[in-house]
Structures are given as structure tokens and as C-alpha cells.
Amino acid sequence: MPTKIAVLAAVPPSGEQGGAERFSEGLQNALRDEGAEADILSVVSDERDYYQIQESYLRFYDLDLSAYDGVISTKAPAYLVRHPNHVCYLQHTMRAFYDLFERQFPKPSKALLSQRRFIRQLDTAALRPPRTRRRFTISHEVTQRLEKYNGLDSDVLYQASTLCGFRRGAYQYVFLPGRLHRWKRVDLVIKAMRYVRAKVKLIIVGTGEDELALRSLAVKDPRISFLGRISDEELLDLYANALVVPFVPLQEDFGLVTLEAFHSEKPVLTCVDSGEPARIVEHGHTGFVCAPAPKSIAKRIDQLAADPDAAARMGRAGAKSIQHINWKKVAVTLLEALNTDAPAG
């Protein structure tokens, strides 16, 4: 078995810590638990413009990783690395060149279309053998994109949460954690509160680019509060006493919020176009999968507020449904792939 493993992480120039950083730490710890020596190598990936993106690709391509027995790359463009024993555990490619391209550039120029074509070709070449021995993804959503846009197959390998100490408390309020960004569609839940008749509060935690706009949208509703960035212990407490956890992003890659809510025995409310959460949540059993519309979301919040026992049953079912997801399985699978004699096709 390879004993010295490099986990390659693409990090933003701001140095902001988020889900991707927790992902790398969880993977590193799991590999160490299996007896491997694992280092996280964080390389800046700046996506502000095409020139910076090219520079980011080159940073990974130029890395000298000869001191390592094996390399695991994660999100774009880490898989540009050159190493004879490289597997990819893909979080996502640069989605602005893939499924979000038309949304961000409804009337793209010839230059933009050329850039998209080049990035996709580069990604496809880098992710094929022999440059990448095996391809794993964090979700069916990512696997389907990889097949659709790059013509490459891959194996789904669900990640686990890095939080510890989940517990079940009361069922009191609507709790919405996560990044305050337009693709997370926090505005849908804020607007839904206008139609919620039950006397429940909405607690929002996290920060992001759209925080000011979302605060402005919620300013007239005293039931809505923003707590900003909080500690892990505070996060666990808020999960523990939530009635329901709405998680309604657009085409989410994976979404740890779903797992963390289930670990706390809370039902999850998501939308039909939310990507992987809509696959994980079983409608009517572990939560609800509804239309991405404020009134549809409000209806389900009122339903659970009127029947907290049903919320508790759904939460317990959710916890049971994810018992098979753990970091040990991830580490063992990736180490076996690194130890395979011949690369997969």
C-alpha cells in the first residue's frame, strides 16, 4: 500500500475556510486512520478571470510530487497534477464552464465559447488514464456531469461530515445553515416565511456574497434572524433543536447540510432541482422534496410545525438512512485504487 499520500486541495486566494477545507481534513484523517501518512497540499486557485484560471491550472501542473507514493486530487484544477499514481476524488469541475455556463453567460462571446471549449478539453485529457488512474466523485450529480460533458465514467463515493457530537433535542424552529450565495437560494426560504402561518422562527447562519441582499429581503419579518459565522458547538446546538432544516440550493454537488441534519434526527426540506439532496431525501419519509417555490416550501413548514411528532419520525428515518456513509469506506476505497497495478479505462 502507498504509505505517503498527498491530498491536493484548491483553495481560494482569500484563504476563507469552508466545506472544501473540512472535506480535505476529513479525508486526511481517514487516510491516517488506515495507516497512511497523508499531507494536505493547499494550492491557490483564483477564478476571478480567465487569466487567473489559467495560472491556477499551471500551479497544479508544475507541482513536484515525486516525494509521494500516491496523490489524491479533489476539485478543479487539482487533477492537472503529474504523478504516476494519481486518483481523483472529484468534488466538482469549474461549473462556470459546465452546467452553469448558460445561466452566467446567456449571450456568450466567441472568446467565452473558446475558453469553455479549451477548459473542457483540458479537464477531459487530465482526468483520463494514464494521467488519472481512477475517477471517483462525491455524488451522482457530479458523476452525471462528468459523463455528460466529458464523456468519462466514475464511481460515486459519498463523503461524511467532519463534525462530531450530533444530538437530538427539541423541534422548535426552522434552521438554515450554509453559505449565503445566490445558488444556495436562501431567498426562497425567506420568501416562504411570508406564507408560513405557524408561529415558528427562521434562524439563518453563515456568511457570503449575498448576505446584505438577504438581510434586506428579511428586514420586515421579526421571525427571521441572521447569526453570521458561529462555532461548531453552536452549530450542533442549533441543529439539535431545529424543527426542520430547509436546504434548497440549485443543482448542489452534494451538500453536507443534509447529512448533518439527519445526524441530528431532523427532517430536510429540499427542492426537485436541488441536485444530490433531492436524491438523498426520501419524500414523505425523511423529509420533503418540493417545488422551488415559496408557497410550496411554506406548506411543508406549516405541516411539520403542526405535527412535531411527524418531524421526529422523519428525522429518525433520516438518521437511519445514512448509517452506511462514513470516512473509513472512503479511505479504504481510495487506498485500494492507489494500490491497483493497472489503471482503469
Side-chain angles (χ1 to χ4, degrees):
M1 185 201 319
T3 56
K4 192 171 183 181
I5 310 297
V7 175
L8 298 187
V11 299
S14 65
E16 182 180 356
Q17 298 290 304
E21 288 67 40
R22 287 182 179 272
F23 172 88
S24 297
E25 292 172 4
L27 179 54
Q28 179 190 43
N29 291 334
L31 292 167
R32 288 176 173 176
D33 288 344
E34 295 306 311
E37 181 183 342
D39 298 330
I40 298 174
L41 302 185
S42 298
V43 180
V44 172
S45 177
D46 193 337
E47 301 180 21
R48 285 177 295 180
D49 57 53
Y50 188 62
Y51 173 78
Q52 297 294 342
I53 289 171
Q54 288 177 307
E55 288 291 313
S56 298
Y57 272 71
L58 285 172
R59 286 190 193 99
F60 282 98
Y61 183 81
D62 288 339
L63 286 176
D64 179 4
L65 298 175
S66 57
Y68 291 91
D69 302 312
V71 173
I72 301 171
S73 63
T74 53
K75 67 180 180 179
Y79 42 71
L80 262 287
V81 65
R82 292 174 293 168
H83 194 279
N85 195 18
H86 163 224
V87 301
C88 181
Y89 185 23
L90 186 62
Q91 292 176 285
H92 57 77
T93 52
M94 289 190 183
R95 295 181 63 188
F97 295 105
Y98 288 89
D99 59 306
L100 299 181
F101 185 83
E102 284 77 12
R103 289 178 179 271
Q104 291 190 253
F105 310 109
K107 296 181 179 180
S109 65
K110 289 184 178 180
L112 276 170
L113 291 171
S114 176
Q115 292 168 9
R116 179 180 69 172
R117 182 168 57 253
F118 178 73
I119 292 294
R120 289 185 182 181
Q121 290 173 345
L122 192 58
D123 287 349
T124 302
L127 287 164
R128 282 176 176 161
R131 298 293 304 278
T132 302
R133 294 166 64 93
R134 289 282 301 278
R135 295 173 297 273
F136 300 89
T137 70
I138 60 170
S139 68
H140 296 277
E141 186 77 11
V142 178
T143 281
Q144 287 184 0
R145 284 192 218 129
L146 204 57
E147 171 63 31
K148 177 180 179 179
Y149 296 108
N150 305 93
L152 299 172
D153 61 1
S154 55
D155 298 311
V156 177
L157 187 59
Y158 275 163
Q159 69 177 96
S161 175
T162 58
L163 284 176
C164 299
F166 291 103
R167 50 194 176 273
R168 174 177 56 84
Y171 292 79
Q172 298 176 340
Y173 44 78
V174 181
F175 177 51
L176 199 165
R179 184 180 171 194
L180 304 183
H181 185 273
R182 66 184 182 278
W183 300 123
K184 301 300 182 181
R185 300 195 300 196
V186 175
D187 60 305
L188 279 179
V189 184
I190 292 174
K191 292 174 182 176
M193 290 299 291
R194 299 171 184 173
Y195 304 100
V196 171
R197 297 179 180 179
K199 293 181 179 180
V200 291
K201 294 181 179 180
L202 168 61
I203 298 176
I204 300 172
V205 303
T207 60
E209 302 89 324
D210 291 343
E211 182 174 353
L212 290 178
L214 292 169
R215 284 180 177 271
S216 177
L217 185 64
V219 71
K220 293 183 179 180
D221 193 334
R223 298 174 300 170
I224 302 175
S225 59
F226 291 79
L227 302 187
R229 192 182 300 278
I230 61 174
S231 68
D232 286 353
E233 189 59 35
E234 289 171 316
L235 180 61
L236 290 167
D237 283 340
L238 287 166
Y239 270 126
N241 293 300
L243 169 72
V244 59
V245 177
F247 187 49
V248 296
L250 177 67
Q251 297 171 349
E252 181 74 18
D253 299 317
F254 178 62
L256 279 173
V257 170
T258 308
L259 296 193
E260 292 171 353
F262 282 171
H263 280 308
S264 306
E265 298 190 16
K266 306 300 174 179
V268 173
L269 196 163
T270 192
C271 294
V272 293
D273 60 352
S274 287
E276 206 64 20
R279 293 181 175 90
I280 297 173
V281 175
E282 186 177 348
H283 182 73
H285 182 59
T286 62
F288 293 111
V289 182
C290 61
K295 287 185 178 180
S296 295
I297 294 168
K299 176 183 176 182
R300 297 305 183 181
I301 291 173
D302 274 332
Q303 182 177 341
L304 292 171
D307 191 357
D309 288 340
R313 287 195 300 272
M314 288 183 177
R316 289 194 296 270
K320 187 176 180 180
S321 73
I322 60 169
Q323 288 178 351
H324 64 290
I325 300 174
N326 58 77
W327 278 115
K328 179 179 177 65
K329 181 179 179 180
V330 170
V332 168
T333 301
L334 295 178
L335 287 171
E336 287 177 351
L338 289 169
N339 200 39
T340 303
D341 292 331

